[in-house]
Amino acid sequence: WTVLLVGLVLESVADMQKLWFKQSQQLRGRWIDVGVWHWSRHPNYFGEMLVWIGSFIAAARVFVGGEWAAVMSPIFIVLLLLFVSGLPIVEESVDRKHRSNSDYLSYKQRTNILLPLPPPLYEKIPIAIKSSVLLDWPMYNTMNKQHMKVPDESSSINDTS
């Protein structure tokens, strides 16, 4: 139950902080880097993963036979967030929006993509550990992609250039 509860609290706190951040007029146009977002670029997704993993762990003690197939639920959610609808999409969007901002680049360098870690600690971790154990994979760094052209405010939705 602990994993489930930690995930639920983390996801809820992260979502509330993001809501408050988005509602702040002074912070418009910035990326969120306060609260739990100071320690992780996506604490809400990490919390979501913990909720699913914790739910499985809590229920697993009574599983028999084919009920163990329930392990597919947390695996599916984790894979979905890591490779499809979560991190890749959000990272590319935020990179596109803030790629020329040196403060954002610094934030990205010192903040783990998923696991909440103190930035001074994370900065000192070797790149090999960051890109393996800590899931900060090259696929999440879209800063150098050619298609990262940011449309100006005057371009229309139908502009295909």
Side-chain angles (χ1 to χ4, degrees):
W1 290 100
T2 303
V3 175
L4 170 66
L5 293 174
V6 168
L8 188 61
V9 168
L10 180 60
E11 183 179 12
S12 299
V13 168
D15 286 344
M16 286 304 301
Q17 288 176 345
K18 190 166 189 176
L19 176 66
W20 293 330
F21 188 89
K22 284 184 164 205
Q23 291 176 341
S24 171
Q25 292 299 322
Q26 305 110 292
L27 300 172
R28 271 206 120 152
R30 280 190 47 88
W31 64 96
I32 183 167
D33 60 354
V34 295
V36 294
W37 298 84
H38 179 72
W39 290 38
S40 168
R41 295 196 316 263
H42 302 285
N44 55 338
Y45 291 150
F46 184 61
E48 175 81 10
M49 290 176 191
L50 290 179
V51 166
W52 283 88
I53 293 167
S55 296
F56 172 76
I57 292 169
R61 59 193 179 107
V62 297
F63 287 166
V64 292
E67 293 172 346
W68 282 97
V71 73
M72 294 309 295
S73 291
I75 290 172
F76 177 74
I77 292 298
V78 169
L79 293 176
L80 193 65
L81 291 173
L82 288 177
F83 299 109
V84 183
S85 69
L87 297 177
I89 292 172
V90 176
E91 279 292 300
E92 184 169 358
S93 173
V94 177
D95 282 357
R96 181 182 299 122
K97 187 173 182 181
H98 300 290
R99 74 174 190 264
S100 61
N101 186 318
S102 62
D103 290 338
Y104 171 71
L105 299 176
S106 175
Y107 168 72
K108 193 164 176 159
Q109 287 286 325
R110 71 177 183 269
T111 310
N112 183 257
I113 191 162
L114 195 61
L115 307 171
L117 295 169
L121 171 66
Y122 183 70
E123 286 179 299
K124 294 176 184 170
I125 296 173
I127 192 78
I129 294 178
K130 287 180 180 179
S131 62
S132 58
V133 177
L134 299 178
L135 310 178
D136 221 339
W137 298 323
M139 66 182 277
Y140 300 131
N141 184 4
T142 61
M143 301 300 278
N144 297 323
K145 284 189 177 179
Q146 292 295 331
H147 71 282
M148 293 288 292
K149 181 181 177 214
V150 178
D152 65 6
E153 313 249 330
S154 64
S155 63
S156 71
I157 294 174
N158 297 323
D159 186 4
T160 58
S161 58

